[in-house]
Amino acid sequence: MKIFAKIRHLQLILSTAFYVSLYIIIASINKKYVVKTRKWVSGRILRANGITLKIEGEPVDHNARIFIANHQNMFDIMILELLIPMDVCWVAKRELFKIPFYGRAVKLPKMIPLDRANKLGLKMLLRTVKDRVSKNRPVVIFPEGTRSKEDKFKTFKSGGEFIANQLQLIVQPVVISNTKKLLRTQKGEFYPNEITVHVMKSFKASSATEHWIANQQELMQKTYDNISR
């Protein structure tokens, strides 16, 4: 019934606000707890709201330095935080860093702001990614550039491909199924469910594989279609 979906949506808002606030407080007091607290909070929010995960495919490659994934919902971030055991670094729109409360949450772990309006943005991104990778922090990128509301992926942008090729990084694609069905924001409804996460085979990017991003989009789309049936 929709009334229960609305109650669950309110619970989601309150529990997310509580756990993110807790993360900000703990991480601000002692920065050495930033990573553990971030992953713990991600798990608590999912469990508190009845979201379970089914992980399939390849094991996470601990040598991978760029993870690419499709993006439909805020839950994708929490899911990937739990999936990837390393201290991941997210590439996010610069505007997100300016949002009160949420901005503090992404600034604390030194995530990477992306300024799409700046013509030098890609060069700055390359320099920043190189710095994070040198500190053993894999980077996570949503190559669609924004959330997709449909089952058909938006065209993958080439920024991640350029970065991976220039730095010759190991890339691992991850496909997340149907998180868009969990949350109906405009209606204020939330429907908990099991989410399937398919980890694909990693590969090393180089100039010899210049146009791999389009091929990966096709492979990831096929995988998504199969696990979303």
Side-chain angles (χ1 to χ4, degrees), residues 153-186:
F153 296 169
K154 295 180 181 295
T155 301
F156 284 9
K157 299 183 184 301
S158 60
E161 178 185 59
F162 173 78
I163 298 296
N165 286 352
Q166 288 294 311
L167 301 178
Q168 297 189 3
L169 302 177
I170 294 176
V171 182
Q172 186 157 43
V174 179
V175 178
I176 307 171
S177 72
N178 290 326
T179 50
K180 66 183 178 63
K181 293 182 179 179
L182 297 174
L183 187 60
R184 299 178 185 177
T185 306
Q186 292 182 341

Side-chain angles (χ1 to χ4, degrees), residues 19-20 26 32 71 95 101 111 137 153 159 181 193 200:
Y19 282 114
V20 172
I26 295 173
K32 73 177 183 179
H71 188 31
E95 293 79 8
F101 184 66
M111 300 307 184
R137 295 190 66 188
F153 296 169
K181 293 182 179 179
N193 209 333
M200 300 178 67

Side-chain angles (χ1 to χ4, degrees), residues 82-160:
L82 285 178
L83 175 73
I84 306 168
M86 298 86 88
D87 177 15
V88 294
C89 185
W90 297 84
V91 177
K93 294 184 292 186
R94 182 173 293 276
E95 293 79 8
L96 297 178
F97 288 73
K98 300 177 181 179
I99 299 175
F101 184 66
Y102 181 81
R104 178 66 175 166
V106 294
K107 286 178 182 177
L108 275 169
K110 296 184 178 180
M111 300 307 184
I112 302 175
L114 176 62
D115 188 356
R116 292 174 182 163
N118 188 338
K119 293 182 179 179
L120 299 176
L122 195 55
K123 289 184 178 180
M124 293 172 63
L125 178 61
L126 176 63
R127 200 159 50 239
T128 310
V129 169
K130 186 176 181 180
D131 172 73
R132 299 298 190 273
V133 168
S134 70
K135 296 174 181 175
N136 202 30
R137 295 190 66 188
V139 174
V140 182
I141 294 176
F142 293 125
E144 292 170 280
T146 186
R147 297 179 187 180
S148 174
K149 297 180 181 180
E150 307 296 333
D151 289 322
K152 179 76 172 177
F153 296 169
K154 295 180 181 295
T155 301
F156 284 9
K157 299 183 184 301
S158 60

Side-chain angles (χ1 to χ4, degrees), residues 8 11-12 15-16 44-51 75 190 192:
R8 287 191 293 265
Q11 177 186 322
L12 171 66
S15 62
T16 301
R44 290 303 305 169
I45 292 174
L46 294 178
R47 283 192 291 272
N49 292 285
I51 300 172
F75 294 110
F190 173 65

